[in-house]
């Protein structure tokens, strides 16, 4: 977790960006209750869960989780179009 945060902060500082104003887009199996989300919330003001758009409807079992959990799968489907 600390490596993830380190490199994210490094990029922000190298480009002279504002930690409060730059959006940090998150995806994958991450929730607001996760340790990484809490750590990022400490350092960044705008955390956004990214979602891949598309016409697909998630089945009932997949729909139990937020759509951003499946960004890699949905992005792969978009590439095939």
């Amino acid at each position: 977790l600390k490596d993830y945060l380190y490199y994210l902060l490094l990029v922000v500082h190298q480009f002279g960006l504002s930690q409060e104003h730059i959006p940090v887009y998150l995806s994958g199996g991450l929730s607001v209750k996760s340790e990484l989300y809490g750590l990022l919330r400490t350092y960044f003001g705008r955390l956004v869960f990214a979602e891949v758009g598309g016409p697909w409807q998630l089945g009932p079992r997949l729909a139990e989780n937020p759509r951003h959990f499946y960004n890699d799968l949905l992005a792969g489907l978009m590439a095939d179009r």
Side-chain angles (χ1 to χ4, degrees):
L1 295 177
K2 289 181 182 178
D3 287 343
Y4 185 88
L5 179 61
Y6 171 80
Y7 286 107
L8 194 53
L9 287 170
L10 179 65
V11 168
V12 168
H13 290 290
Q14 291 268 327
F15 286 97
L17 304 171
S18 166
Q19 289 173 231
E20 281 299 312
H21 297 103
I22 188 154
V24 176
Y25 290 92
L26 308 169
S27 71
L30 189 65
S31 75
V32 294
K33 296 178 182 177
S34 70
E35 184 179 355
L36 179 56
Y37 186 90
L39 188 61
L40 291 171
R41 174 57 64 207
T42 303
Y43 292 93
F44 295 95
R46 292 187 58 202
L47 300 180
V48 180
F49 286 106
E51 292 186 10
V52 173
W56 302 281
Q57 298 257 344
L58 298 177
R61 290 186 70 192
L62 293 180
E64 292 174 3
N65 292 315
R67 193 171 172 98
H68 70 267
F69 275 34
Y70 308 108
N71 278 350
D72 55 346
L73 173 66
L74 296 174
L77 291 172
M78 289 291 288
D80 289 341
R81 292 187 90 196

